Amino acid sequence: MFQKNIQKRPLSEKILATLHPKDRDYREHDGNGLYIVIAQNNTKFWQFRYKNADGKWAWIGIGTYPQISLLMARHKAHEYREALAKGEDLKALKRLHKQQNKKETLYFQNLMCDWLNIKVKQWGEVTYNKAEKSIYKHLIPAFGGRDYVDISAKEWFEFFQGLQRNLGIHTQVEKLVAYVRSCYDWAKFQGKINSNPIDGMMKYLDRRHNNNMRFIEIEEMPVLLERIRTCKPRAIGIGLELMILLFPRPSELRFARWEHFDLQKALWTKPAETTKTRQLHQVPLSHQAIQLLKELKEIQPESDYLFPGRGTLHQPISNMTFNTNLNKLGYEGRQHPHGFRHLASTVMNEMFSHKGQVIEACLAHKKKGVKAIYDKAQHLDERRVLMQWWADFVN
């Protein structure tokens, strides 16, 4: 039961703060049919009083305070008065709004917005802005107003394949797939969906193949490894396996010197003059890579280079040596030494879409813009974990 002495005065946030519970629920009148109820348990909620179709006084709830502010409550009361003037049924109107609001919570754009709110705290400003721009350029116009549960794996596949073939944005598509996959994973762990329609999709989308980016499917890796491990000479086989495990740019491994490696600290420090970015780059060494380097040290002639050229110990091997040997193993036109970088990037982005910056650091990609100025992080500890995971995965 309510106390009958309802106050009649325009409310304010200051007045609302002074309204305390009494021994019975009571109402305060703001005006124009809008009331706030102060319950005995100290909850406050808005109500609108009106005459229904039978000419009797009735109440309809608006929401709790302060979740629904005074301004919002007045706006909703104004909507109700306009609806009554048009002869509309407020109860039916409220049910319709509730259904619409429930439907909108299932929109893909709202799910993606919630996911981005998490990523804004995890990513750097430049990374976040680039991702957000790409998402709102490609994903939201296509699927923003759709129920994310109803978007089928086939629709997603055809959409991404269309971007590849019509726009030729293969690298951007890889990132978009990673964003959507991570977004659905988040929804799955929130109990909103049971399965992720994007899982495993990258292996069936078109590959970006140019002369130096050709790479096999990951399922073909066991056969390739078996052939590499029987490759003659053994030193070249070790080089090709290191190319897989460490995925450097081929020239970086060609010019690698023993002095750059610290097996005790499990680090390969590439000097700036040997890298594409002209920046020093450290590569954590997995257990498997260290074993291969120890074996290589035993079988190679004395030289500053890991892979000295034929007939000379003072120059590295030819820039075609690794590619030529891959061709001899039966992978001509299918696997290029540089393609191991793309293969590693594809798999790791598929498995660890939330670690984009760490993967970029593994690949020694140069940071751009403000990120390059202020973010000097190498993510070394995280890269150690990721590089060991990759070596274990490959093996």
Side-chain angles (χ1 to χ4, degrees):
M1 296 291 293
F2 289 89
Q3 287 185 351
K4 295 182 179 180
N5 56 328
I6 298 174
Q7 297 289 333
K8 296 183 178 180
R9 56 173 171 173
L11 298 173
S12 66
E13 293 294 341
K14 185 176 180 180
I15 292 175
L16 289 170
T18 65
L19 299 179
H20 301 296
K22 299 180 181 179
D23 56 352
R24 299 173 67 182
D25 296 351
Y26 67 98
R27 293 187 178 97
E28 289 276 356
H29 188 199
D30 179 61
N32 296 315
L34 178 63
Y35 294 78
I36 189 165
V37 177
I38 299 86
Q40 293 180 65
N41 62 2
N42 202 27
T43 58
K44 300 173 183 178
F45 55 93
W46 300 102
Q47 287 185 329
F48 179 72
R49 191 178 188 223
Y50 69 103
K51 281 190 177 181
N52 61 23
D54 298 328
K56 297 180 179 179
W57 288 106
W59 297 92
I60 187 169
I62 292 178
T64 58
Y65 176 84
Q67 287 78 11
I68 302 296
S69 68
L70 174 60
L71 186 63
M72 293 167 65
R74 285 173 176 170
H75 179 72
K76 179 58 69 174
H78 177 71
E79 287 184 354
Y80 283 160
R81 288 195 298 273
E82 287 190 335
L84 288 170
K86 297 175 184 177
E88 296 181 9
D89 183 342
L90 291 193
K91 297 287 186 182
L93 183 65
K94 185 175 181 180
R95 284 195 298 270
L96 183 64
H97 285 170
K98 189 174 181 179
Q99 292 171 359
Q100 182 63 25
N101 290 338
K102 184 177 180 180
K103 181 179 179 182
E104 289 179 1
T105 61
L106 296 175
Y107 284 174
F108 177 74
Q109 64 184 13
N110 291 328
L111 181 70
M112 180 58 74
C113 183
D114 290 341
W115 178 79
L116 282 171
N117 286 336
I118 296 172
K119 290 301 175 182
V120 73
K121 303 172 185 176
Q122 300 175 351
W123 289 345
E125 182 181 357
V126 174
T127 301
Y128 177 84
N129 289 341
K130 287 175 64 178
E132 184 183 44
K133 182 178 179 181
S134 182
I135 287 167
Y136 277 89
K137 179 178 180 181
H138 297 290
L139 300 179
I140 300 306
F143 296 106
R146 292 279 305 279
D147 184 335
Y148 57 82
V149 178
D150 292 339
I151 307 172
S152 67
K154 183 174 183 291
E155 287 182 273
W156 279 117
F157 179 80
E158 291 176 348
F159 169 73
F160 287 125
Q161 191 176 68
L163 291 182
Q164 288 181 320
R165 296 181 178 181
N166 298 328
L167 302 181
I169 51 173
H170 288 74
T171 300
Q172 195 169 3
V173 165
E174 290 176 17
K175 293 181 178 180
L176 287 170
V177 171
Y179 300 151
V180 175
R181 181 178 181 274
S182 180
C183 181
Y184 272 119
D185 274 346
W186 179 80
K188 183 170 64 176
F189 295 129
Q190 296 294 311
K192 297 180 178 180
I193 57 174
N194 295 322
S195 61
N196 191 331
I198 305 298
D199 277 341
M201 184 171 291
M202 276 306 305
K203 68 179 71 173
Y204 299 108
L205 289 170
D206 295 345
R207 297 293 191 183
R208 179 182 64 170
H209 291 318
N210 54 34
N211 289 335
N212 69 341
M213 270 294 191
R214 296 186 182 277
F215 60 97
I216 59 172
E217 300 291 339
I218 192 62
E219 291 82 0
E220 300 178 76
M221 183 64 77
V223 175
L224 174 58
L225 270 176
E226 183 180 355
R227 293 183 185 181
I228 284 176
R229 288 169 178 170
T230 59
C231 178
K232 302 296 182 181
R234 173 59 182 155
I236 299 303
I238 291 175
L240 288 171
E241 193 162 352
L242 288 172
M243 197 76 72
I244 296 172
L245 296 181
L246 306 179
F247 45 89
R249 294 178 175 89
S251 62
E252 294 171 345
L253 190 60
R254 280 183 57 227
F255 286 97
R257 295 171 176 260
W258 288 109
E259 65 190 68
H260 302 156
F261 290 81
D262 187 331
L263 301 189
Q264 292 296 321
K265 294 182 179 179
L267 273 180
W268 172 18
T269 302
K270 294 183 286 188
E273 61 268 20
T274 67
T275 68
K276 181 180 179 181
T277 61
R278 292 297 180 259
Q279 295 176 347
L280 181 144
H281 183 247
Q282 290 185 306
V283 181
L285 300 173
S286 62
H287 306 318
Q288 295 88 335
I290 290 174
Q291 288 303 117
L292 288 170
L293 288 165
K294 288 179 177 178
E295 181 184 353
L296 183 66
K297 185 71 171 176
E298 291 179 2
I299 65 175
Q300 285 288 66
E302 287 290 334
S303 172
D304 291 337
Y305 293 100
L306 272 66
F307 301 98
R310 181 179 296 180
T312 176
L313 300 178
H314 307 294
Q315 294 292 330
I317 55 174
S318 161
N319 63 349
M320 291 302 295
T321 303
F322 289 128
N323 194 42
T324 298
N325 279 271
L326 277 173
N327 293 345
K328 289 179 180 178
L329 294 176
Y331 289 87
E332 184 173 4
R334 297 176 57 207
Q335 179 67 53
H336 189 277
H338 201 100
F340 290 126
R341 290 173 56 77
H342 198 73
L343 182 61
S345 173
T346 300
V347 174
M348 288 194 291
N349 273 295
E350 178 77 11
M351 298 299 294
F352 303 101
S353 58
H354 60 293
K355 290 189 175 292
Q357 290 188 52
V358 181
I359 296 170
E360 291 293 286
C362 286
L363 292 162
H365 285 162
K366 189 174 184 178
K367 296 171 184 175
K368 299 178 181 179
V370 176
K371 189 76 172 174
I373 299 173
Y374 294 106
D375 186 359
K376 305 299 182 183
Q378 294 191 44
H379 306 281
L380 197 58
D381 290 339
E382 292 178 279
R383 285 197 286 132
R384 285 189 187 278
V385 175
L386 204 57
M387 294 297 283
Q388 187 59 55
W389 176 88
W390 170 246
D392 294 338
F393 177 80
V394 165
N395 279 273

